[in-house]
Amino acid sequence: MNNNIDISFKMKDLLFDNPIFTASGTFGFGHEFDDFIDISKIGGVVVKGLTLEPRKGNKLPRIAETASGMLNSVGLENPGVNKFIEETLPRLKEKKVKVIANIAGNTIDEYCKMAEIVNTSECDAVEMNISCPNVKQGGVAFGTNPDVVYEITKQVRACLDKPLIVKLSPNVTDIKEIAVKAEEGGADCISLINTLIGMAVDIKTKKPILNNVIGGLSGPAIKPVALRLIWETSKVVNIPIIGMGGVRSIEDVIEFMLVGASAVAIGTSNFVNPKVTVELVEELREYLKSNKYTSCKDIIGKLKLN
Ligand SMILES: Cc1cc2nc3c(=O)[nH]c(=O)nc-3n(C[C@H](O)[C@H](O)[C@H](O)COP(=O)(O)O)c2cc1C
């Protein structure tokens, strides 16, 4: 046991035991991983993206493997926020894990309605996804316009007492401008990055592999982009950042913290190693101990520039 090592993570007044999260859409609703891990050991479970009404998602095929990552065009397949709260959330909360609802809508009004619903539930926090590349209406358009980011954050904030995380898209010209607007609008935390937009082609059929033609690229291929965007964002906001994008090892976690992430979410790696999240919690404690650090604060934002 490394009891003298503090790896807790605080967002607003909400304290997480550790800073390792799951990334939305890559951990289902948690129970899919019950055979592999004790999910109470994860800092927080960010559930699959929720919408107001149930969604079937996009047509198959909607997954393609790439050289060092994957493309997906799942398109927010989910049972709808109400069904999630009634049926899935109680089972998750029984496991004594902090649950973050990831919400997406087509209009600001829809986001607000969902925030109001989640606010009266047992969810611990909300992650507002304004960066999904796989839905035609709204989605990414919200996350690319700084004024809209301010407006949607402000309005959703007003519907919510729980901590609000705003999840940003990497598919923007200037992440700094967007992140500042999210903070000004009342975000308690920023999470980034969502997937990069990409495509894959089958040379036999001469067709795109994804039925949707384009999809979101995730996994190790996007890690350098994530590091750069987290580093740029950490320079301009005062709220914590949950970093994600290709994290699969303790070295990756430390790199993300050095550039300014206070917590790290694991996405595509869950498909490769379902135990990766809990392994990283232990490895983080060991890393801090063996380097004689007492807290993650000793490394967060401590990147040295020449
Ligand atoms: C299959 C799949 C589904 C995803 N669904 C969502 C989603 O519903 N909401 C969301 O905010 N992000 C979603 N994401 C994005 C991830 O949460 C994460 O931001 C991204 O994959 C980068 O992290 P990674 O490289 O560790 O996977 C999804 C990613 C994948 C691969």
Side-chain angles (χ1 to χ4, degrees), residues 24-106:
S24 177
T26 63
F27 201 73
F29 290 117
H31 54 263
E32 293 87 342
F33 286 76
D34 281 348
D35 290 345
F36 301 100
I37 53 172
D38 172 1
I39 66 166
S40 71
K41 296 204 165 131
I42 304 173
V45 167
V46 180
V47 298
K48 199 166 172 22
L50 298 163
T51 49
L52 200 51
E53 302 298 332
R55 281 182 77 114
K56 286 198 180 115
N58 293 326
K59 286 198 186 121
L60 302 176
R62 51 191 194 184
I63 299 280
E65 201 165 329
T66 69
S68 56
M70 64 183 271
L71 277 168
N72 91 83
S73 61
V74 171
L76 298 177
E77 178 187 0
N78 79 98
V81 66
N82 287 312
K83 196 160 179 196
F84 162 74
I85 288 171
E86 280 157 34
E87 292 180 10
T88 317
L89 185 59
R91 277 193 282 146
L92 254 180
K93 288 307 296 182
E94 257 172 38
K95 302 214 168 90
K96 308 263 176 279
V97 64
K98 294 246 171 10
V99 178
I100 293 116
N102 177 285
I103 61 167
N106 291 321

Coordinates of all heavy atoms in Angstrom, one line a residue, residues 24-106:
S24 N -16.0 8.4 -22.7 CA -17.3 8.1 -23.2 C -17.3 7.3 -24.5 O -16.6 7.6 -25.4 CB -18.1 9.4 -23.4 OG -19.4 9.1 -23.9
G25 N -18.2 6.3 -24.5 CA -18.4 5.5 -25.7 C -17.5 4.3 -25.9 O -17.6 3.5 -26.7
T26 N -16.5 4.2 -24.9 CA -15.6 3.1 -25.0 C -15.6 2.2 -23.8 O -14.8 1.3 -23.7 CB -14.1 3.7 -25.1 OG1 -13.9 4.4 -23.9 CG2 -14.0 4.7 -26.3
F27 N -16.6 2.4 -23.0 CA -16.8 1.6 -21.8 C -18.2 1.3 -21.5 O -18.6 0.8 -20.5 CB -16.2 2.5 -20.6 CG -15.8 1.7 -19.4 CD1 -14.6 0.9 -19.4 CD2 -16.6 1.7 -18.2 CE1 -14.2 0.2 -18.3 CE2 -16.2 1.0 -17.1 CZ -15.0 0.2 -17.1
G28 N -19.0 1.4 -22.6 CA -20.4 1.1 -22.5 C -21.1 1.8 -21.3 O -20.8 3.0 -21.1
F29 N -21.9 1.1 -20.6 CA -22.5 1.6 -19.3 C -21.8 0.9 -18.1 O -22.4 0.8 -17.1 CB -24.0 1.4 -19.4 CG -24.6 2.4 -20.4 CD1 -25.3 1.9 -21.4 CD2 -24.5 3.7 -20.2 CE1 -25.9 2.7 -22.4 CE2 -25.1 4.6 -21.1 CZ -25.8 4.1 -22.2
G30 N -20.6 0.5 -18.3 CA -19.8 -0.1 -17.2 C -19.9 -1.6 -17.0 O -18.9 -2.2 -16.9
H31 N -21.2 -2.1 -17.0 CA -21.3 -3.5 -16.6 C -20.7 -4.5 -17.6 O -20.3 -5.6 -17.3 CB -22.8 -3.9 -16.4 CG -23.7 -3.5 -17.6 ND1 -24.4 -2.4 -17.7 CD2 -23.9 -4.2 -18.8 CE1 -25.0 -2.3 -18.8 NE2 -24.7 -3.4 -19.5
E32 N -20.4 -4.0 -18.8 CA -19.7 -4.8 -19.8 C -18.3 -5.2 -19.3 O -17.8 -6.1 -19.9 CB -19.6 -4.0 -21.1 CG -20.9 -3.7 -21.9 CD -21.6 -2.4 -21.4 OE1 -21.2 -1.9 -20.3 OE2 -22.4 -1.9 -22.1
F33 N -17.8 -4.5 -18.4 CA -16.4 -4.7 -17.9 C -16.4 -5.5 -16.5 O -15.3 -5.7 -16.0 CB -15.7 -3.4 -17.8 CG -15.3 -2.9 -19.2 CD1 -16.3 -2.3 -20.0 CD2 -14.0 -3.0 -19.7 CE1 -15.9 -1.8 -21.3 CE2 -13.7 -2.6 -20.9 CZ -14.6 -2.0 -21.7
D34 N -17.6 -5.8 -16.0 CA -17.7 -6.5 -14.7 C -16.8 -7.7 -14.6 O -16.3 -8.0 -13.5 CB -19.1 -6.8 -14.4 CG -19.9 -5.6 -13.9 OD1 -19.2 -4.6 -13.6 OD2 -21.1 -5.6 -13.8
D35 N -16.7 -8.5 -15.7 CA -16.0 -9.8 -15.6 C -14.5 -9.5 -15.5 O -13.7 -10.5 -15.3 CB -16.3 -10.6 -16.9 CG -17.7 -11.2 -16.9 OD1 -18.3 -11.1 -15.8 OD2 -18.1 -11.6 -18.0
F36 N -14.1 -8.3 -15.8 CA -12.6 -8.1 -15.9 C -12.1 -7.3 -14.7 O -11.0 -7.5 -14.3 CB -12.3 -7.3 -17.2 CG -12.7 -8.0 -18.5 CD1 -13.9 -7.7 -19.1 CD2 -11.9 -9.0 -19.0 CE1 -14.3 -8.3 -20.3 CE2 -12.3 -9.7 -20.1 CZ -13.5 -9.3 -20.8
I37 N -12.8 -6.3 -14.3 CA -12.3 -5.4 -13.3 C -13.4 -5.0 -12.2 O -14.6 -5.2 -12.4 CB -11.8 -4.1 -13.9 CG1 -12.9 -3.4 -14.8 CG2 -10.5 -4.3 -14.7 CD1 -12.5 -2.0 -15.3
D38 N -12.8 -4.5 -11.1 CA -13.7 -3.9 -10.1 C -13.8 -2.4 -10.4 O -12.9 -1.7 -10.1 CB -13.0 -4.2 -8.7 CG -13.8 -3.4 -7.6 OD1 -14.8 -2.8 -7.9 OD2 -13.3 -3.5 -6.4
I39 N -14.9 -2.0 -11.0 CA -15.0 -0.7 -11.5 C -15.0 0.4 -10.4 O -14.8 1.6 -10.7 CB -16.1 -0.4 -12.6 CG1 -17.5 -0.6 -11.9 CG2 -16.0 -1.3 -13.7 CD1 -18.6 0.0 -12.9
S40 N -15.2 0.0 -9.2 CA -15.2 1.0 -8.1 C -13.8 1.5 -7.9 O -13.5 2.6 -7.3 CB -15.6 0.4 -6.8 OG -14.7 -0.5 -6.3
K41 N -12.8 0.9 -8.5 CA -11.4 1.3 -8.4 C -11.1 2.4 -9.4 O -10.0 3.0 -9.4 CB -10.5 0.1 -8.6 CG -10.6 -0.9 -7.5 CD -9.4 -1.7 -7.3 CE -9.4 -2.4 -6.0 NZ -9.1 -3.9 -6.2
I42 N -12.0 2.7 -10.4 CA -11.7 3.7 -11.4 C -12.2 5.1 -10.8 O -13.2 5.1 -10.1 CB -12.5 3.5 -12.7 CG1 -12.2 2.1 -13.2 CG2 -12.2 4.5 -13.7 CD1 -13.0 1.7 -14.4
G43 N -11.4 6.1 -11.1 CA -11.8 7.5 -10.5 C -13.2 7.8 -10.9 O -14.0 8.3 -10.0
G44 N -13.6 7.7 -12.1 CA -14.9 8.0 -12.6 C -15.2 7.3 -13.9 O -14.4 7.2 -14.7
V45 N -16.5 6.9 -14.0 CA -16.9 6.2 -15.2 C -17.7 7.3 -16.0 O -18.8 7.7 -15.6 CB -17.8 5.0 -15.0 CG1 -18.5 4.5 -16.2 CG2 -16.9 3.9 -14.4
V46 N -17.2 7.6 -17.2 CA -18.0 8.5 -18.1 C -18.7 7.5 -19.0 O -18.1 6.7 -19.7 CB -17.1 9.4 -18.9 CG1 -17.9 10.3 -19.8 CG2 -16.2 10.3 -18.0
V47 N -20.1 7.6 -19.0 CA -20.9 6.6 -19.7 C -21.0 7.0 -21.2 O -20.7 8.1 -21.6 CB -22.3 6.4 -19.1 CG1 -22.2 5.9 -17.7 CG2 -23.1 7.7 -19.2
K48 N -21.4 6.0 -22.0 CA -21.7 6.2 -23.4 C -22.6 7.4 -23.6 O -23.5 7.7 -22.8 CB -22.5 5.0 -23.8 CG -22.6 4.6 -25.2 CD -23.1 3.2 -25.3 CE -23.4 2.8 -26.7 NZ -22.8 3.4 -27.8
G49 N -22.4 8.1 -24.7 CA -23.1 9.4 -25.0 C -24.6 9.2 -24.9 O -25.1 8.2 -25.5
L50 N -25.3 10.1 -24.2 CA -26.8 10.0 -24.1 C -27.4 11.1 -24.9 O -26.9 12.2 -25.0 CB -27.2 10.1 -22.6 CG -26.6 9.1 -21.7 CD1 -26.7 9.5 -20.2 CD2 -27.4 7.7 -21.9
T51 N -28.6 10.8 -25.4 CA -29.4 11.8 -26.1 C -30.8 11.8 -25.5 O -31.2 10.9 -24.7 CB -29.6 11.5 -27.6 OG1 -29.9 10.2 -27.8 CG2 -28.2 11.8 -28.3
L52 N -31.6 12.8 -25.8 CA -32.9 13.0 -25.2 C -33.8 11.8 -25.5 O -34.4 11.1 -24.7 CB -33.6 14.3 -25.6 CG -34.7 14.9 -24.8 CD1 -34.3 15.0 -23.3 CD2 -35.1 16.2 -25.3
E53 N -33.8 11.5 -26.8 CA -34.6 10.3 -27.3 C -33.6 9.2 -27.6 O -32.4 9.4 -27.9 CB -35.3 10.7 -28.6 CG -36.3 11.9 -28.5 CD -37.4 11.6 -27.6 OE1 -37.8 10.5 -27.4 OE2 -37.9 12.6 -27.0
P54 N -34.1 7.9 -27.6 CA -33.2 6.8 -28.0 C -32.7 7.0 -29.4 O -33.4 7.6 -30.2 CB -34.1 5.6 -27.9 CG -35.3 6.0 -27.2 CD -35.4 7.5 -27.3
R55 N -31.5 6.5 -29.7 CA -30.9 6.6 -31.0 C -30.4 5.2 -31.4 O -29.8 4.5 -30.6 CB -29.8 7.6 -31.1 CG -30.2 9.0 -31.1 CD -28.9 9.8 -31.2 NE -28.4 9.8 -32.5 CZ -28.3 10.9 -33.3 NH1 -28.7 12.0 -32.9 NH2 -27.8 10.8 -34.5
K56 N -30.6 4.9 -32.7 CA -30.1 3.6 -33.2 C -28.7 3.7 -33.7 O -28.0 2.7 -34.0 CB -31.0 3.1 -34.4 CG -32.3 2.6 -33.9 CD -32.9 1.7 -35.1 CE -34.3 1.2 -34.7 NZ -35.4 1.7 -35.5
G57 N -28.2 4.9 -33.9 CA -26.9 5.2 -34.4 C -26.8 5.0 -35.9 O -27.9 4.9 -36.6
N58 N -25.6 5.1 -36.5 CA -25.5 5.0 -37.9 C -25.5 3.6 -38.4 O -25.4 2.6 -37.6 CB -24.2 5.7 -38.3 CG -24.2 7.2 -38.1 OD1 -25.2 7.8 -38.2 ND2 -23.1 7.7 -37.7
K59 N -25.6 3.4 -39.7 CA -25.7 2.1 -40.3 C -24.3 1.4 -40.3 O -23.3 2.1 -40.4 CB -26.2 2.2 -41.8 CG -27.6 2.5 -41.9 CD -28.1 2.2 -43.4 CE -29.5 2.6 -43.6 NZ -29.7 3.6 -44.7
L60 N -24.3 0.1 -40.3 CA -23.1 -0.7 -40.3 C -22.5 -0.6 -41.7 O -23.3 -0.5 -42.7 CB -23.3 -2.1 -39.9 CG -23.9 -2.3 -38.5 CD1 -24.2 -3.8 -38.3 CD2 -23.0 -1.8 -37.4
P61 N -21.2 -0.8 -42.0 CA -20.2 -0.9 -41.0 C -19.8 0.5 -40.4 O -19.8 1.5 -41.1 CB -19.0 -1.5 -41.7 CG -19.3 -1.3 -43.2 CD -20.7 -1.1 -43.3
R62 N -19.5 0.5 -39.1 CA -19.2 1.8 -38.5 C -18.0 1.7 -37.6 O -17.7 2.6 -36.8 CB -20.5 2.2 -37.7 CG -21.0 1.3 -36.7 CD -22.4 1.7 -36.2 NE -22.8 1.0 -35.0 CZ -23.9 1.1 -34.4 NH1 -24.8 2.0 -34.8 NH2 -24.2 0.4 -33.4
I63 N -17.2 0.7 -37.8 CA -15.9 0.6 -37.1 C -14.8 0.2 -38.2 O -15.1 -0.7 -39.0 CB -15.8 -0.5 -36.0 CG1 -16.9 -0.2 -34.9 CG2 -14.4 -0.7 -35.5 CD1 -16.4 0.8 -33.9
A64 N -13.7 0.8 -38.2 CA -12.6 0.4 -39.1 C -11.3 0.5 -38.3 O -11.1 1.5 -37.6 CB -12.6 1.3 -40.3
E65 N -10.5 -0.6 -38.5 CA -9.2 -0.5 -37.8 C -8.2 0.3 -38.7 O -8.2 0.2 -39.9 CB -8.7 -1.9 -37.6 CG -7.6 -2.0 -36.5 CD -7.4 -3.4 -35.9 OE1 -8.3 -4.2 -36.0 OE2 -6.2 -3.6 -35.5
T66 N -7.3 1.1 -38.0 CA -6.3 1.8 -38.8 C -4.9 1.5 -38.2 O -4.9 0.7 -37.2 CB -6.5 3.3 -38.7 OG1 -6.3 3.8 -37.4 CG2 -8.0 3.7 -39.1
A67 N -3.9 2.0 -38.8 CA -2.5 1.6 -38.5 C -2.3 1.7 -37.0 O -1.7 0.8 -36.4 CB -1.5 2.4 -39.3
S68 N -2.7 2.8 -36.3 CA -2.4 2.8 -34.9 C -3.6 3.5 -34.2 O -3.5 4.4 -33.4 CB -1.1 3.6 -34.6 OG -1.2 4.9 -35.2
G69 N -4.8 2.9 -34.5 CA -6.0 3.4 -33.8 C -7.2 2.9 -34.6 O -7.1 1.9 -35.3
M70 N -8.3 3.5 -34.4 CA -9.5 3.0 -35.0 C -10.4 4.2 -35.5 O -10.2 5.3 -35.0 CB -10.3 2.1 -34.1 CG -10.9 2.8 -32.9 SD -11.7 1.7 -31.8 CE -13.4 1.8 -32.4
L71 N -11.2 3.9 -36.5 CA -12.2 4.9 -36.9 C -13.6 4.4 -36.5 O -13.9 3.2 -36.6 CB -12.2 5.0 -38.4 CG -11.2 5.8 -39.1 CD1 -11.2 5.5 -40.6 CD2 -11.4 7.3 -38.9
N72 N -14.4 5.3 -36.0 CA -15.8 4.9 -35.7 C -16.8 5.9 -36.1 O -16.5 7.1 -36.2 CB -16.0 4.6 -34.2 CG -16.4 5.8 -33.4 OD1 -17.6 6.1 -33.3 ND2 -15.5 6.5 -32.8
S73 N -17.9 5.4 -36.5 CA -19.0 6.3 -36.9 C -20.3 5.7 -36.2 O -21.3 5.6 -36.9 CB -19.2 6.4 -38.4 OG -19.5 5.1 -38.9
V74 N -20.2 5.4 -34.9 CA -21.3 4.8 -34.2 C -22.5 5.7 -34.2 O -23.6 5.2 -34.4 CB -20.8 4.4 -32.8 CG1 -22.0 4.0 -31.9 CG2 -19.8 3.3 -32.8
G75 N -22.3 7.0 -34.0 CA -23.4 7.9 -34.1 C -24.3 7.9 -32.9 O -25.6 8.0 -33.1
L76 N -23.7 7.9 -31.7 CA -24.5 8.0 -30.5 C -25.6 7.0 -30.3 O -26.7 7.4 -29.9 CB -25.0 9.5 -30.3 CG -23.9 10.6 -30.3 CD1 -24.5 11.9 -30.2 CD2 -23.0 10.4 -29.1
E77 N -25.4 5.8 -30.6 CA -26.4 4.8 -30.3 C -26.6 4.7 -28.8 O -25.6 4.5 -28.1 CB -26.0 3.4 -30.9 CG -27.0 2.3 -30.6 CD -26.4 0.9 -30.9 OE1 -25.3 0.9 -31.4 OE2 -27.1 0.0 -30.7
N78 N -27.8 4.9 -28.3 CA -28.1 4.8 -26.9 C -29.6 4.7 -26.6 O -30.4 5.0 -27.5 CB -27.4 6.1 -26.2 CG -28.3 7.3 -26.3 OD1 -29.0 7.7 -25.4 ND2 -28.2 8.0 -27.5
P79 N -29.9 4.3 -25.4 CA -31.3 4.1 -25.1 C -32.1 5.3 -24.7 O -33.3 5.3 -24.4 CB -31.3 3.1 -23.8 CG -30.0 3.5 -23.2 CD -29.0 3.9 -24.3
G80 N -31.4 6.5 -24.7 CA -32.1 7.7 -24.3 C -31.8 8.0 -22.8 O -31.6 7.1 -22.0
V81 N -31.8 9.3 -22.4 CA -31.3 9.6 -21.1 C -32.3 9.1 -20.0 O -31.8 8.6 -18.9 CB -31.2 11.2 -20.9 CG1 -32.5 11.9 -21.1 CG2 -30.5 11.5 -19.7
N82 N -33.6 9.1 -20.2 CA -34.5 8.6 -19.2 C -34.4 7.1 -18.9 O -34.3 6.7 -17.7 CB -36.0 8.9 -19.6 CG -36.3 10.4 -19.5 OD1 -35.9 11.0 -18.5 ND2 -36.8 11.0 -20.5
K83 N -34.2 6.3 -19.9 CA -34.1 4.9 -19.7 C -32.8 4.6 -19.0 O -32.7 3.7 -18.1 CB -34.1 4.2 -21.1 CG -34.4 2.7 -20.9 CD -34.9 2.1 -22.2 CE -35.1 0.6 -22.0 NZ -35.2 -0.2 -23.1
F84 N -31.7 5.3 -19.4 CA -30.4 5.2 -18.7 C -30.6 5.4 -17.2 O -30.1 4.6 -16.4 CB -29.4 6.1 -19.3 CG -28.2 6.3 -18.4 CD1 -27.2 5.3 -18.3 CD2 -28.0 7.5 -17.7 CE1 -26.2 5.4 -17.4 CE2 -26.9 7.6 -16.8 CZ -26.0 6.6 -16.7
I85 N -31.3 6.5 -16.9 CA -31.4 6.9 -15.5 C -32.2 5.8 -14.7 O -31.9 5.5 -13.6 CB -31.9 8.3 -15.3 CG1 -30.9 9.3 -15.7 CG2 -32.4 8.6 -13.9 CD1 -31.3 10.7 -15.8
E86 N -33.3 5.4 -15.3 CA -34.2 4.4 -14.7 C -33.5 3.0 -14.5 O -33.6 2.4 -13.5 CB -35.5 4.2 -15.5 CG -36.5 5.3 -15.2 CD -37.5 5.4 -16.4 OE1 -37.8 4.3 -17.0 OE2 -37.9 6.5 -16.7
E87 N -32.9 2.6 -15.6 CA -32.5 1.1 -15.6 C -31.0 0.9 -15.4 O -30.7 -0.1 -14.7 CB -32.9 0.5 -17.0 CG -34.4 0.4 -17.2 CD -34.8 -0.2 -18.5 OE1 -33.9 -0.7 -19.2 OE2 -36.0 -0.1 -18.8
T88 N -30.2 1.7 -15.9 CA -28.7 1.4 -15.8 C -28.0 2.1 -14.7 O -27.2 1.5 -14.0 CB -28.0 1.9 -17.1 OG1 -28.9 1.5 -18.2 CG2 -26.7 1.3 -17.3
L89 N -28.4 3.4 -14.4 CA -27.7 4.1 -13.4 C -27.8 3.5 -12.0 O -26.7 3.4 -11.3 CB -28.3 5.6 -13.3 CG -27.6 6.5 -12.4 CD1 -26.1 6.7 -12.7 CD2 -28.3 7.9 -12.4
P90 N -28.9 2.9 -11.5 CA -29.0 2.3 -10.2 C -27.9 1.2 -10.1 O -27.3 1.0 -9.1 CB -30.4 1.8 -10.1 CG -31.2 2.6 -11.1 CD -30.3 2.9 -12.2
R91 N -27.8 0.4 -11.2 CA -26.9 -0.8 -11.1 C -25.4 -0.3 -11.0 O -24.6 -0.8 -10.3 CB -27.0 -1.6 -12.4 CG -28.1 -2.6 -12.3 CD -28.0 -3.6 -13.4 NE -28.5 -3.1 -14.7 CZ -28.1 -3.3 -15.9 NH1 -27.1 -4.2 -16.0 NH2 -28.6 -2.8 -17.0
L92 N -25.2 0.8 -11.7 CA -23.8 1.4 -11.7 C -23.5 2.0 -10.3 O -22.4 1.8 -9.8 CB -23.7 2.5 -12.7 CG -22.9 2.3 -14.0 CD1 -23.0 3.5 -14.9 CD2 -21.5 1.9 -13.7
K93 N -24.5 2.7 -9.7 CA -24.2 3.4 -8.4 C -24.1 2.3 -7.3 O -23.4 2.6 -6.4 CB -25.4 4.3 -8.1 CG -25.4 5.6 -8.9 CD -24.1 6.4 -8.9 CE -23.7 7.0 -7.6 NZ -22.4 7.7 -7.7
E94 N -24.7 1.2 -7.5 CA -24.5 0.1 -6.5 C -23.1 -0.3 -6.4 O -22.6 -0.8 -5.3 CB -25.3 -1.2 -7.0 CG -26.6 -1.4 -6.3 CD -27.3 -2.6 -7.0 OE1 -26.6 -3.6 -7.4 OE2 -28.5 -2.5 -7.2
K95 N -22.3 -0.1 -7.4 CA -20.9 -0.5 -7.5 C -20.0 0.6 -6.8 O -18.8 0.4 -6.9 CB -20.5 -0.7 -8.9 CG -21.3 -1.8 -9.6 CD -20.5 -2.6 -10.5 CE -21.4 -3.8 -10.9 NZ -22.2 -3.6 -12.1
K96 N -20.6 1.6 -6.3 CA -19.9 2.7 -5.6 C -18.8 3.3 -6.5 O -17.6 3.4 -6.1 CB -19.2 2.1 -4.3 CG -20.1 1.4 -3.4 CD -20.6 2.3 -2.3 CE -21.6 1.7 -1.4 NZ -23.0 1.6 -1.8
V97 N -19.2 3.7 -7.7 CA -18.3 4.4 -8.5 C -18.9 5.7 -8.9 O -20.2 5.9 -9.0 CB -18.0 3.5 -9.8 CG1 -19.2 3.3 -10.7 CG2 -16.9 4.2 -10.6
K98 N -18.1 6.7 -9.1 CA -18.6 8.1 -9.5 C -19.0 7.9 -11.0 O -18.2 7.4 -11.8 CB -17.5 9.1 -9.4 CG -17.2 9.3 -7.9 CD -17.6 10.7 -7.5 CE -17.5 11.0 -6.0 NZ -16.8 10.1 -5.1
V99 N -20.2 8.4 -11.3 CA -20.7 8.3 -12.7 C -20.9 9.7 -13.3 O -21.5 10.6 -12.7 CB -22.1 7.6 -12.7 CG1 -22.7 7.5 -14.1 CG2 -21.9 6.2 -12.1
I100 N -20.4 9.8 -14.5 CA -20.5 11.1 -15.2 C -21.4 10.8 -16.5 O -21.0 9.9 -17.3 CB -19.1 11.6 -15.6 CG1 -18.4 12.0 -14.4 CG2 -19.2 12.9 -16.5 CD1 -17.2 11.3 -14.1
A101 N -22.5 11.5 -16.6 CA -23.3 11.4 -17.7 C -22.8 12.2 -18.9 O -22.6 13.4 -18.7 CB -24.8 11.8 -17.4
N102 N -22.6 11.6 -20.0 CA -22.1 12.3 -21.2 C -23.4 12.6 -22.1 O -24.1 11.7 -22.5 CB -21.2 11.4 -22.0 CG -20.7 12.1 -23.3 OD1 -21.4 12.1 -24.3 ND2 -19.4 12.5 -23.3
I103 N -23.6 13.9 -22.3 CA -24.9 14.3 -23.0 C -24.6 15.0 -24.3 O -23.6 15.7 -24.5 CB -25.8 15.2 -22.1 CG1 -25.1 16.5 -21.7 CG2 -26.3 14.4 -20.9 CD1 -26.1 17.5 -21.2
A104 N -25.5 14.7 -25.3 CA -25.4 15.4 -26.6 C -26.8 15.7 -27.1 O -27.7 15.0 -26.9 CB -24.7 14.4 -27.6
G105 N -26.9 16.8 -27.8 CA -28.2 17.2 -28.3 C -28.1 17.8 -29.7 O -27.1 18.1 -30.2
N106 N -29.3 18.1 -30.3 CA -29.3 18.7 -31.6 C -29.5 20.2 -31.4 O -29.2 21.0 -32.4 CB -30.5 18.2 -32.4 CG -30.2 16.7 -32.8 OD1 -29.1 16.4 -33.2 ND2 -31.2 15.9 -32.8

